[in-house]
Amino acid sequence: SVTLNCEVEHPSAGWRFYWYKTVPDLSHNSYIYELLPGNSRGTEQDSYIVHGQTHTAGYVCRAGRGDPVFYTENSEPKFVWSGDLHPAASLTVNPDRVQHFTFDSVSLSCEGNSTEWRVKRFNEHGYQSDCSDWRRMTGSTCNMRLYWYGNAVYWCESGSGEFSNAVNITVWGDYHGIILVSPVHPVTEGESVSLGCRFRTEKNLSSVFFYHNDKLIQSDTRQELNISAVSKSDEGFYKFAVMEPKSSSSPVLLIVLLLCGIVLIILLLLCCCRKSTGETLIIKQSLISSDVM
């Protein structure tokens, strides 16, 4: 269960609270608010408990008092995201990876039981926008070129009220010449997954080192780490380092490149979530940087 709380800017006695569910209104690029059952007269309680939610949904509240009733403005929508691996709607990212470079081209496609879709974005500065604000929807697909850098969350909404699960996308600026390649969606236990290193410009590498919880698990020229069947034991921190061959003018045998001047530690967190259909593992990642040695 999830508890939602509603606050009035200047609290005082006599307020009653009303709760609504958001329904996407694609024609006006906004939402329609449907009053939740049992809220027609409001409630003195400033909280609402969502029980057993299986699909992503947005909620809004407002307050009212007096006779006739004076209502406040609606709150901003807040979303309760479902962890369902098979939601009614889905978002596909191509290429399928969390991290991208600036100027990369990425397509976000919506699928489900609807003919009308929009792609929404919530960036790290707290601003929510629609694909039509920064690019153009072509059918159910938002095609964009990444001129900005930073983190953002994306999801699909349909005209019939469906929401996809959300995905994270991180865009690195020109100062980052290397990224970790990992899928944007959760991985079910038993499935295979690949992690890799990708360069903005092609590199001739002599060695690539992959670590799991600071333990070296692969050391060769392969720029990819393959896990054939994900399990609980694969939980933990992952990082990698690369080495370039000696140049003719270099006085040392090898030049160690720790991610183009920055140590990039990749957190690959596989969180076990038990569901009635089986046990799943969720892949997440986080970035930590420090000065180069």
Side-chain angles (χ1 to χ4, degrees):
S1 63
V2 177
T3 300
L4 308 175
N5 293 287
C6 194
E7 297 181 1
V8 179
E9 186 175 359
H10 302 291
S12 59
W15 289 108
R16 298 184 70 83
F17 298 89
Y18 301 80
W19 296 90
Y20 303 82
K21 196 171 185 177
T22 63
V23 177
D25 180 6
L26 273 59
S27 60
H28 296 92
N29 193 21
S30 61
Y31 295 103
I32 297 172
Y33 304 129
E34 294 182 352
L35 193 65
L36 291 172
N39 277 265
S40 59
R41 301 183 64 184
T43 173
E44 293 181 355
Q45 299 295 323
D46 61 356
S47 61
Y48 181 84
I49 300 177
V50 180
H51 292 286
Q53 179 171 301
T54 57
H55 300 292
T56 296
Y59 297 91
V60 163
C61 73
R62 69 172 176 172
R65 66 177 177 182
D67 186 15
V69 180
F70 166 77
Y71 294 101
T72 65
E73 295 180 354
N74 293 323
S75 70
E76 289 293 319
K78 294 294 182 183
F79 293 89
V80 178
W81 298 100
S82 167
D84 189 358
L85 292 180
H86 304 287
S90 63
L91 170 61
T92 301
V93 180
N94 185 28
D96 180 17
R97 63 175 188 262
V98 174
Q99 297 185 23
H100 301 265
F101 294 117
T102 49
F103 305 112
D104 281 353
S105 294
V106 177
S107 66
L108 308 174
S109 300
C110 304
E111 297 179 4
N113 300 319
S114 180
T115 57
E116 293 183 294
W117 295 95
R118 68 182 176 194
V119 174
K120 300 285 289 185
R121 177 175 72 187
F122 189 82
N123 66 21
E124 59 189 341
H125 305 295
Y127 178 67
Q128 186 182 137
S129 58
D130 185 275
C131 176
S132 60
D133 296 332
W134 71 87
R135 283 297 178 269
R136 186 176 180 179
M137 287 287 293
T138 303
S140 60
T141 300
C142 176
N143 295 298
M144 59 182 183
R145 196 164 188 200
L146 305 174
Y147 293 106
W148 49 273
Y149 62 90
N151 303 309
V153 176
Y154 295 82
W155 69 94
C156 292
E157 297 177 352
S158 75
S160 55
E162 297 171 324
F163 293 81
S164 74
N165 287 342
V167 301
N168 294 294
I169 291 180
T170 299
V171 182
W172 291 105
D174 294 336
Y175 56 89
H176 255 83
I178 187 171
I179 59 175
L180 175 78
V181 176
S182 63
V184 297
H185 286 295
V187 177
T188 303
E189 185 176 27
E191 290 185 348
S192 62
V193 66
S194 296
L195 304 178
C197 47
R198 181 181 178 87
F199 299 87
R200 184 180 288 274
T201 57
E202 187 175 348
K203 295 286 185 180
N204 180 24
L205 303 177
S206 61
S207 297
V208 181
F209 305 92
F210 282 94
Y211 296 84
H212 176 218
N213 293 332
D214 289 326
K215 179 182 178 180
L216 182 64
I217 57 174
Q218 181 173 297
S219 173
D220 50 36
T221 58
R222 290 176 295 170
Q223 297 182 26
E224 190 172 73
L225 172 67
N226 296 305
I227 303 174
S228 58
V230 171
S231 67
K232 175 76 173 176
S233 63
D234 295 312
E235 264 184 359
F237 292 89
Y238 287 79
K239 66 181 180 181
F240 68 93
V242 298
M243 299 180 77
E244 281 188 321
K246 167 190 168 183
S247 66
S248 58
S249 59
S250 175
V252 295
L253 180 63
L254 290 174
I255 301 174
V256 180
L257 296 180
L258 291 178
L259 308 184
C260 299
I262 296 180
V263 178
L264 182 59
I265 300 176
I266 303 301
L267 166 61
L268 175 64
L269 177 59
L270 301 175
C271 300
C272 265
C273 300
R274 287 215 175 259
K275 302 181 74 70
S276 59
T277 56
E279 190 172 43
T280 61
L281 294 171
I282 310 299
I283 294 184
K284 296 182 181 177
Q285 64 181 14
S286 126
L287 305 172
I288 305 173
S289 62
S290 60
D291 291 338
V292 67
M293 292 189 239

